[in-house]
Amino acid sequence: MDLLSKIRSHQRTPSGSRDFKEATKRDALARLEVELERLLSSLPEPKRPGVEKEFKGFKNLFSRFLAEQGPSVTWEKIQKLPEGAVIDYSTLSTPTTDNIHHMLDKLVVVKLNGGLGTSMGCKGPKSVIQVRNELTFLDLTVQQIEHLNKTYKCNVPLVLMNSFNTDEDTQKVIRKYKGLKLDIHTFNQSCHPRINRESLLPVPKNVDVQNDIEAWYPPGHGDFYESFNNSGLLQKFIKEGRTYCFISNIDNLGATVDLNILSLLLNPDQKSAEFVMEVTDKTRADVKGGTLIQYEDKLRLLEIAQVPKEHIDDFKSVSQFKFFNTNNLWAKLDAIQRVVEQGSLNMEIIVNNKSLADGLNVIQLETAVGAAMKCFEGGIGVNVPRSRFLPVKKTSDLLLVMSNLYSLSHGSLVMSPQRMFPSTPLVKLGDNHFAKVKEFLNRFATIPDLIELDHLTVSGDVTFGRGVSLKGTVIIIANHGDRIDIPSGALLENKIVSGNLRILDH
């Protein structure tokens, strides 16, 4: 039984073994501190203060991880969402044009840009994958904000939170935006050592991250607040008189600056909310997404990882938990400064188990940016239209955003008016043949017409000719060893196409 299991194994134990556990924990922390000191001492003096700050954050995470026991919520203590806790987007008023310029002067746009494109078979930052008309996630973001700045004659800055994985490549890319009306700032989230699962000691032997990249990890986007504060940018924007930041994932193409929500935040007639989480109606496809709950008289984010096993089905129920978190968040800048300086950020820890290339089992401790909601005063949810949640996590999402379901307007994707209902089709593409972007693109001569599609499942060795139309529910399954080529110009409406190429009505 490894040390982690000993610490985590069932808590109701005779006092003798409880003492043993406490001693093991104290020992684990003391040994970790010694190791971190050793790593620090291998650094030249000028580099130490920055790394020391990051290690302090890491030590804090680690000691909280040792202290946590079991799920972080007591299911029975979840309260019903109070009246007015979630505001319906349709009730928000649209600001007048003359006011918009002043409002935007108070805003900073932050994109979480720490992720790599590896899950889609791409090298480098995910933000440089081409998603539409040869434009990348980053291009689209820059276009949106430049358009905002030109239209309203303002200067909204764009801030990218990079990780040590994405920083160098991102710096090269942003040089091409030099001539645009837009200030781009970047800072790096922390770099934490992975922990050996058996010994609970740090994996790296020295602080040369690039030489031993597998030994380090970025600790999730919950690290935003500390790193933003440490970078000095937070203080800079507060000095400039800016009051709110809008934070979202770079791969959520629906996360554009919303003037109605900004107007709600800056409305002098109402008590100001320090934190706003955009939520949207949960569908059966979103059962694993985090949701908003009232707990100990505060709004907070509940993720599936925090749910006791026996309540997982309740958590997934669409009737019990109607909303899920889009990870589009608005936070007050001076409030971020306050919670960081007070040290009152206690976001739930996500324990991520990994195996390194050499077979070593490690854990990495992460936090989620939305989980900080409970640390702020006057948090609210806004129930936004589904169009504000358009993440591209897989090639099936890429198929949707490249298709005629959307058109592009100044970097924003707009759903086609020809689509009869606002929901997006459910698309499942087989991992073996479609998971990597390059492979996926080779299987479509052109992206099919999806305007009237409800559901598409494709599995096996399938290719699509030019000008194919898919409507209703379409299921295409090539059995092992078979290949299906959908001919150019084909219209498939409510069809099942199986391995022997017969087209059957569905």
Side-chain angles (χ1 to χ4, degrees):
M1 196 184 202
D2 63 34
L3 192 52
L4 177 63
S5 312
K6 280 181 197 147
I7 289 172
R8 285 282 162 108
S9 69
H10 208 56
Q11 300 303 327
R12 291 189 201 92
T13 44
S15 58
S17 64
R18 193 173 302 127
D19 294 346
F20 169 74
K21 275 210 193 84
E22 286 309 314
T24 326
K25 284 181 188 178
R26 277 196 306 275
D27 189 37
L29 190 58
R31 283 168 41 219
L32 181 95
E33 284 177 340
V34 170
E35 280 300 302
L36 293 180
E37 274 307 315
R38 191 183 61 73
L39 284 172
L40 265 179
S41 63
S42 69
L43 275 177
E45 277 296 335
K47 284 193 171 171
R48 274 185 210 174
V51 176
E52 208 159 0
K53 262 186 189 164
E54 294 190 8
F55 278 5
K56 193 178 157 209
F58 173 68
K59 222 162 24 185
N60 176 25
L61 260 186
F62 187 78
S63 55
R64 280 179 43 221
F65 154 73
L66 291 177
E68 275 186 13
Q69 317 208 334
S72 54
V73 295
T74 306
W75 197 257
E76 293 64 39
K77 283 167 75 178
I78 295 177
Q79 299 154 293
K80 200 171 160 24
L81 285 178
E83 203 55 46
V86 178
I87 296 170
D88 197 304
Y89 182 83
S90 61
T91 65
L92 300 183
S93 53
T94 303
T96 53
T97 313
D98 52 341
N99 207 5
I100 292 175
H101 168 83
H102 300 296
M103 287 171 29
L104 288 169
D105 280 343
K106 304 271 186 230
L107 183 67
V108 177
V109 173
V110 177
K111 292 285 179 183
L112 305 170
N113 184 43
L116 291 166
T118 38
S119 62
M120 290 164 75
C122 297
K123 282 191 166 59
K126 187 171 183 185
S127 56
V128 299
I129 294 176
Q130 293 186 354
V131 280
R132 180 96 196 195
N133 303 6
E134 296 186 355
L135 296 170
T136 65
F137 289 106
L138 201 49
D139 291 337
L140 295 176
T141 300
V142 166
Q143 272 191 16
Q144 286 164 23
I145 298 185
E146 195 206 18
H147 176 64
L148 209 56
N149 286 342
K150 276 186 173 159
T151 309
Y152 299 106
K153 300 185 176 43
C154 55
N155 187 18
V156 175
L158 170 63
V159 178
L160 301 172
M161 177 166 90
N162 300 335
S163 66
F164 63 85
N165 287 320
T166 61
D167 186 53
E168 200 181 324
D169 289 334
T170 303
Q171 297 302 344
K172 286 179 193 155
V173 172
I174 57 183
R175 286 183 205 139
K176 72 176 182 183
Y177 307 126
K178 277 275 191 287
L180 303 179
K181 184 173 168 27
L182 175 68
D183 290 337
I184 302 181
H185 304 271
T186 65
F187 69 94
N188 271 17
Q189 67 182 113
S190 302
C191 173
H192 284 178
R194 283 179 163 149
I195 306 165
N196 179 321
R197 197 190 146 98
E198 272 66 46
S199 67
L200 291 189
L201 288 173
V203 173
K205 298 287 169 264
N206 58 48
V207 192
D208 185 352
V209 176
Q210 292 307 323
N211 256 345
D212 190 9
I213 214 147
E214 273 227 304
W216 302 86
Y217 74 100
H221 42 52
D223 183 54
F224 161 72
Y225 308 99
E226 298 262 0
S227 296
F228 190 37
N229 183 62
N230 288 347
S231 72
L233 286 170
L234 175 60
Q235 296 75 2
K236 169 188 150 62
F237 293 133
I238 291 173
K239 266 202 196 103
E240 288 172 8
R242 299 186 185 274
T243 49
Y244 276 93
C245 61
F246 170 50
I247 309 156
S248 62
N249 296 359
I250 191 109
D251 65 7
N252 178 7
L253 294 174
T256 55
V257 170
D258 189 280
L259 297 171
N260 297 7
I261 296 177
L262 184 59
S263 175
L264 167 80
L265 292 174
L266 296 174
N267 182 350
D269 301 336
Q270 74 154 49
K271 193 172 149 292
S272 94
E274 291 186 348
F275 196 95
V276 169
M277 178 179 287
E278 292 185 34
V279 295
T280 191
D281 291 345
K282 201 158 146 180
T283 66
R284 305 234 173 264
D286 315 306
V287 291
K288 289 183 176 167
T291 192
L292 256 190
I293 59 169
Q294 180 83 350
Y295 193 83
E296 293 174 344
D297 298 321
K298 278 196 122 166
L299 271 188
R300 71 190 263 179
L301 176 64
L302 176 68
E303 299 273 14
I304 196 161
Q306 296 151 267
V307 177
K309 285 201 174 45
E310 64 275 20
H311 290 290
I312 293 283
D313 286 343
D314 301 331
F315 175 81
K316 289 180 174 178
S317 143
V318 178
S319 57
Q320 258 178 297
F321 297 102
K322 293 189 177 65
F323 309 119
F324 81 99
N325 167 29
T326 62
N327 221 35
N328 301 346
L329 308 165
W330 304 72
K332 205 158 185 260
L333 297 177
D334 58 6
I336 294 177
Q337 192 171 20
R338 186 190 74 238
V339 295
V340 171
E341 284 174 0
Q342 280 177 353
S344 57
L345 275 172
N346 57 339
M347 293 166 278
E348 289 74 22
I349 293 172
I350 302 155
V351 181
N352 199 342
N353 290 293
K354 299 248 176 193
S355 291
L356 302 187
D358 60 4
L360 183 69
N361 289 331
V362 297
I363 51 175
Q364 48 191 55
L365 306 177
E366 301 173 13
T367 56
V369 63
M373 184 176 206
K374 62 179 183 186
C375 311
F376 290 85
E377 296 305 318
I380 51 170
V382 175
N383 184 13
V384 296
R386 183 75 185 201
S387 57
R388 290 193 56 73
F389 183 67
L390 192 56
V392 180
K393 303 286 181 201
K394 299 182 168 144
T395 51
S396 50
D397 303 320
L398 206 51
L399 180 70
L400 296 176
V401 300
M402 293 175 95
S403 77
N404 61 342
L405 281 170
Y406 296 97
S407 57
L408 202 55
S409 164
H410 308 295
S412 301
L413 287 180
V414 184
M415 174 84 74
S416 163
Q418 290 172 289
R419 176 98 177 146
M420 296 304 286
F421 26 84
S423 64
T424 46
L426 205 56
V427 175
K428 294 176 184 168
L429 301 178
D431 280 349
N432 290 349
H433 297 81
F434 288 87
K436 294 183 165 54
V437 173
K438 200 172 158 195
E439 226 175 15
F440 157 85
L441 291 172
N442 285 338
R443 293 189 168 269
F444 294 93
T446 59
I447 300 292
D449 168 354
L450 307 182
I451 289 283
E452 293 178 43
L453 177 71
D454 299 320
H455 182 125
L456 171 68
T457 297
V458 182
S459 173
D461 186 357
V462 179
T463 62
F464 293 79
R466 304 181 75 76
V468 171
S469 286
L470 304 173
K471 299 182 179 187
T473 295
V474 178
I475 298 169
I476 306 169
I477 296 174
N479 298 326
H480 187 66
D482 288 340
R483 173 172 169 168
I484 295 178
D485 299 308
I486 304 296
S488 290
L491 161 62
L492 299 181
E493 183 168 1
N494 296 328
K495 288 277 190 285
I496 296 176
V497 183
S498 68
N500 52 12
L501 271 179
R502 276 183 318 173
I503 296 185
L504 313 167
D505 273 319
H506 172 62

